[in-house]
Amino acid sequence: MKYLFVLHSSEGNFYWCTFSLAQSTRQSEVEREISFRTECGLYYSYYKQMLQAPTLMQGFHGLMYDNKTESMRTINLLQRMNIYQEVFLSILYRALPIQKYLEPVYFYIYTLFGLQAIYVTALYITSWLLSGTWLSGLLAAFWYVTNRIDTTRVEFTIPLRENWALPFFAIQIAAITYFLRPNLQPLSERLTLLAIFISTFLFSLTWQFNQFMMLMQALVLFILDSLDMLPAVKVTWLYGIQITGLLLVCVLQFLNSMILGSLLISFNLSVLIARKLQKNLKTGSFLNRLGKLLLHLFVVLCLTLFLNNIVKKILNLKSDEHIFKFLKAKFGFGATRDFDANLYLCEEAFGLLPFNTFERLSDTLLFYAYIFVLCITVIAALAVAFHNLSDSTNQQSMSKMGTCTIGLRPEAAYNLIHTILFGFLALSTMRMKYLWTSHMCVFASFGLCSPEIWELLLKLIHLYNPNRICIMRYSVPILILLYLCYKFWPGMMDELSELREFYDPDTVELMNWINSNTPRKAVFAGSMQLLAGVKLCTGRTLTNHPHYEDNSLRERTRAVYQIYAKRSAEEVHALLRSFGTDYVILEDSICYERRHRRGCRLRDLLDVANGHMMDGPGENDPDLKLAGHPRFCEEIKRNLPPYTAYFTRVFQNKTFHVYRLSRSK
């Protein structure tokens, strides 16, 4: 029997990949599981662990008192990681009568693909709400699919946390868009607030970086509230929902300190406090109000930093310090030799958005349409903001506020600032482009179908006519849809018809050897990415793993990675044994890495962090010194006495070398 599995190549093509079940043999299970690369495998392993537990209570106990994810430690995985979705799915799979018809891995995959359908539906609804026509939603959905390389990663990194979270984020944006409409009925407003709260809570529960995304959202609300482009009462509700949702997640994650010390909570509280301190913020002349706004911004910034520092000192919080080190180095506030910061800086995903992204987005006409709509709405927003700041007589009247912002409705203003801020985030960090490009589809389609946008444009060029507005808002989107169908539909159908097999025999051989030749309680050391697969495929205990949001784990990972540095056999053995390591896996792809430039290879980062000169031609900082020992991962393969006394090679193939550590010197 064979099952089909959809994968997505780096070139952006869909492929149906076959996985032979071979009567549910262990071999076929490993072949499927290694397709969950890096942290994806780690998260999926907890779903698998819950299903293999004799009872749900034992499964929960295993997650709350886990001693296999980090050797010589017992950690609460529900506190440390965002894996409630795996817990929920495992309970659902146990409860539904589908075990005979659907394997757990396919239930997991289909659930996530189903969430992506909800994601596209939420984008469709948001665009429809903004423009008033279903045609806009259809165009947004078409753009999302045709630009799938840049709008989603779900096809080739299925269990990633953002693939769970972003559908709920899209639902939240759709609900906020509806909530910001004027003159809502009380019942509609309450139901919308409930939808915003639930989607905010689920978004926060499923992704560890939720607080940073919602901080951007809070900045959107702050800007628009300061410029009187949103009703202050509704903004206060949204601030409160963000705080409440995050605190509820904090409770479910056993008072996770990273949440309590988040900038989002500090910022939202600071805004609410500053409002109380500056009650007459929205009165006075233009210059007077501008001065008050600058003072308000200063007060909020100082309060945020003060509250955040106080909380972090009380909690002794260091979980997110690597993120701020990375941001400090990325934006040029001093060079750093910090290993963790450089690990992020050297990854392409955390670099600037490549220029070829805009070329791909332009091929589907999305980028051109987006810039067109953005320019017009920015002009409208600037005019509205200037009018609001200049007219101090209408600032307390919600009915007059609607008249003041007639050039740009509150929900359109929200989506405008949202797309601008998330655009800056995407430009600075490529991995975050998926938050921007999906909303780009919504914003561009809304503008092309919006009567207000065409009215403003036609008035600017003195061609205004109600009939022309109707013609433009329907004909332009239809022509673009026809173009997209003509150019991209045949290619997508061809891609879906292709069959390709996922093939990684070296990793399969390694996992099978571990399963057959090592004790169940053996502890393995190696790269974070590989060890996630080791845990999933073999269930062995790890020294480190890819979930990097813990300071002690980062220190442990740096210590384990000395296997790729210039260290003596004795030093490396002592470090590994301090974590209870029984076996260490060396990868030639890391030891002899060529993927990154000099200075960004893992061995270079370790050398610099250790104060050693880097290998190869090129400059070194003057204070770096020659190492006293050769590179461990190279020298150990020579089987010389200093190394054979501590390490015995027990497995090797073209990619991996496994060594057993001696128990004593």
Side-chain angles (χ1 to χ4, degrees):
M1 183 185 297
K2 288 191 175 182
Y3 278 77
L4 294 179
F5 190 115
V6 180
L7 288 180
H8 188 284
S9 77
S10 58
E11 291 78 21
N13 298 323
F14 289 113
Y15 299 115
W16 292 101
C17 298
T18 60
F19 288 93
S20 173
L21 295 184
Q23 306 300 322
S24 299
T25 62
R26 182 67 195 169
Q27 173 81 7
S28 63
E29 186 178 357
V30 170
E31 288 173 353
R32 278 178 288 152
E33 288 176 346
I34 62 170
S35 67
F36 294 127
R37 297 289 185 169
T38 66
E39 60 190 286
C40 299
L42 183 69
Y43 297 132
Y44 182 80
S45 73
Y46 301 124
Y47 168 72
K48 179 180 175 182
Q49 181 178 325
M50 281 291 292
L51 289 176
Q52 291 177 343
T55 65
L56 282 176
M57 291 307 297
Q58 286 177 285
F60 271 106
H61 186 274
L63 294 179
M64 293 171 62
Y65 300 94
D66 179 271
N67 55 14
K68 296 183 75 67
T69 301
E70 295 177 18
S71 59
M72 302 181 73
R73 283 182 189 162
T74 298
I75 61 174
N76 185 344
L77 292 169
L78 295 176
Q79 179 188 49
R80 178 80 74 81
M81 303 182 191
N82 297 69
I83 56 169
Y84 271 102
Q85 50 267 51
E86 277 75 22
V87 172
F88 173 76
L89 268 197
S90 64
I91 295 172
L92 195 61
Y93 185 80
R94 282 172 176 263
L96 295 175
I98 57 175
Q99 288 87 345
K100 293 182 180 179
Y101 315 105
L102 192 65
E103 289 200 57
V105 63
Y106 295 107
F107 179 68
Y108 188 94
I109 292 165
Y110 295 159
T111 301
L112 263 163
F113 284 172
L115 268 181
Q116 303 316 301
I118 294 173
Y119 189 8
V120 176
T121 303
L123 299 178
Y124 179 100
I125 292 170
T126 305
S127 189
W128 189 349
L129 288 171
L130 287 168
S131 66
T133 172
W134 60 268
L135 187 62
S136 172
L138 183 62
L139 181 58
F142 258 75
W143 261 331
Y144 179 88
V145 173
T146 53
N147 291 283
R148 62 193 177 278
I149 302 172
D150 298 300
T151 54
T152 181
R153 294 200 296 169
V154 70
E155 293 95 349
F156 55 98
T157 53
I158 296 172
L160 275 186
R161 301 301 82 181
E162 53 259 51
N163 292 333
W164 286 97
L166 292 186
F168 300 118
F169 194 49
I171 293 170
Q172 186 219 44
I173 294 169
I176 289 174
T177 299
Y178 183 75
F179 176 68
L180 293 177
R181 285 183 163 188
N183 306 318
L184 282 182
Q185 294 297 319
L187 179 60
S188 297
E189 193 168 276
R190 291 191 193 100
L191 290 174
T192 308
L193 281 171
L194 179 62
I196 294 171
F197 172 76
I198 292 172
S199 55
T200 300
F201 166 71
L202 292 174
F203 171 68
S204 303
L205 188 67
T206 50
W207 193 17
Q208 69 268 30
F209 295 131
N210 60 76
Q211 54 177 288
F212 301 104
M213 302 308 107
M214 289 202 295
L215 178 61
M216 299 289 287
Q217 197 174 51
L219 288 172
V220 173
L221 298 173
F222 177 74
I223 291 168
L224 292 172
D225 181 38
S226 299
L227 298 175
D228 272 340
M229 297 175 75
L230 292 183
V233 174
K234 291 189 175 184
V235 172
T236 303
W237 270 108
L238 294 175
Y239 283 142
I241 285 174
Q242 283 190 332
I243 294 173
T244 307
L246 208 56
L247 289 178
L248 183 56
V249 171
C250 182
V251 172
L252 285 176
Q253 289 195 269
F254 300 85
L255 301 180
N256 185 308
S257 60
M258 188 173 173
I259 296 175
L260 291 173
S262 69
L263 273 174
L264 174 67
I265 293 178
S266 301
F267 177 79
N268 285 8
L269 289 175
S270 299
V271 172
L272 297 175
I273 293 170
R275 270 188 183 179
K276 294 292 183 182
L277 296 176
Q278 295 176 284
K279 293 182 180 179
N280 62 343
L281 182 66
K282 299 183 179 181
T283 58
S285 64
F286 176 78
L287 291 176
N288 187 277
R289 289 202 60 193
L290 196 59
K292 287 180 180 179
L293 277 181
L294 292 174
L295 178 61
H296 183 61
L297 177 62
F298 178 75
V299 170
V300 169
L301 180 62
C302 290
L303 265 176
T304 300
L305 295 176
F306 174 74
L307 288 175
N308 195 250
N309 282 328
I310 289 294
V311 171
K312 285 186 174 181
K313 284 184 178 178
I314 292 173
L315 299 176
N316 192 28
L317 178 61
K318 296 181 180 180
S319 299
D320 58 357
E321 67 176 9
H322 65 299
I323 298 172
F324 295 104
K325 286 180 182 178
F326 159 70
L327 293 174
K328 182 180 175 182
K330 183 178 180 64
F331 295 110
F333 296 103
T336 181
R337 290 183 180 175
D338 182 78
F339 175 77
D340 301 316
N342 284 325
L343 201 60
Y344 282 104
L345 286 170
C346 287
E347 282 299 322
E348 184 182 4
F350 294 94
L352 299 177
L353 189 65
F355 187 75
N356 61 10
T357 304
F358 302 106
E359 294 177 357
R360 290 192 298 270
L361 295 174
S362 299
D363 285 343
T364 61
L365 305 182
L366 172 59
F367 187 64
Y368 298 130
Y370 176 77
I371 294 298
F372 165 73
V373 175
L374 187 66
C375 290
I376 295 174
T377 48
V378 165
I379 291 170
L382 290 174
V384 169
F386 182 77
H387 182 276
N388 290 353
L389 292 177
S390 300
D391 185 2
S392 62
T393 62
N394 69 346
Q395 304 310 324
Q396 307 302 320
S397 171
M398 296 310 302
S399 61
K400 290 184 180 179
M401 182 180 171
T403 304
C404 174
T405 59
I406 195 169
L408 194 67
R409 292 173 286 120
E411 62 268 33
Y414 169 82
N415 280 275
L416 169 64
I417 306 302
H418 179 103
T419 197
I420 289 174
L421 289 192
F422 278 90
F424 282 125
L425 180 65
L427 291 171
S428 65
T429 308
M430 187 183 76
R431 183 170 177 176
M432 297 303 168
K433 72 175 179 179
Y434 304 100
L435 291 154
W436 181 45
T437 49
S438 58
H439 192 265
M440 186 188 287
C441 300
V442 170
F443 196 76
S445 60
F446 137 69
L448 293 182
C449 297
S450 169
E452 292 93 345
I453 297 296
W454 287 112
E455 179 182 349
L456 179 59
L457 178 65
L458 292 174
K459 283 182 177 179
L460 286 173
I461 59 177
H462 306 291
L463 291 174
Y464 173 72
N465 183 295
N467 292 329
R468 286 197 182 109
I469 292 175
C470 188
I471 292 170
M472 296 301 291
R473 71 181 294 227
Y474 290 112
S475 61
V476 172
I478 289 172
L479 288 172
I480 292 175
L481 282 169
L482 291 173
Y483 167 79
L484 294 175
C485 289
Y486 172 76
K487 184 171 182 179
F488 296 101
W489 189 261
M492 287 192 290
M493 293 301 100
D494 289 342
E495 290 167 14
L496 286 171
S497 66
E498 290 188 35
L499 288 172
R500 294 194 179 186
E501 186 177 4
F502 185 84
Y503 187 66
D504 187 357
D506 288 351
T507 304
V508 171
E509 185 185 11
L510 171 67
M511 300 304 171
N512 287 333
W513 180 87
I514 292 173
N515 276 317
S516 303
N517 297 278
T518 63
R520 290 288 300 171
K521 294 185 178 181
V523 177
F524 278 79
S527 69
M528 296 183 288
Q529 295 80 3
L530 179 63
L531 289 186
V534 169
K535 185 177 190 312
L536 171 60
C537 298
T538 72
R540 300 306 191 263
T541 305
L542 314 179
T543 56
N544 53 305
H545 55 81
H547 194 275
Y548 220 48
E549 281 65 56
D550 179 76
N551 187 56
S552 60
L553 176 68
R554 292 195 294 272
E555 291 176 353
R556 178 183 280 222
T557 299
R558 284 195 297 273
V560 170
Y561 275 12
Q562 298 304 311
I563 59 179
Y564 297 109
K566 297 172 182 175
R567 291 294 191 97
S568 69
E570 184 178 6
E571 289 175 311
V572 172
H573 182 268
L575 284 170
L576 295 178
R577 284 302 302 160
S578 68
F579 307 128
T581 307
D582 297 309
Y583 297 88
V584 59
I585 308 173
L586 297 174
E587 300 169 63
D588 287 346
S589 58
I590 298 177
C591 190
Y592 307 108
E593 182 184 358
R594 294 181 180 178
R595 184 169 67 94
H596 290 104
R597 58 179 171 80
R598 183 178 185 269
C600 267
R601 300 168 299 190
L602 179 62
R603 62 180 185 267
D604 297 335
L605 302 183
L606 291 164
D607 289 342
V608 171
N610 292 339
H612 299 155
M613 296 175 67
M614 294 182 288
D615 292 337
E619 294 184 357
N620 288 284
D621 289 342
D623 60 325
L624 295 178
K625 300 176 181 178
L626 285 170
H629 301 279
R631 194 167 303 283
F632 176 83
C633 64
E634 297 175 355
E635 199 69 11
I636 192 174
K637 294 168 188 173
R638 299 176 61 189
N639 289 325
L640 297 176
Y643 295 86
T644 54
Y646 298 101
F647 301 92
T648 303
R649 184 161 56 198
V650 290
F651 172 85
Q652 75 174 98
N653 60 23
K654 291 183 292 184
T655 306
F656 305 106
H657 302 259
V658 181
Y659 292 85
R660 185 176 63 243
L661 277 69
S662 63
R663 290 284 179 175
S664 58
K665 292 185 181 181

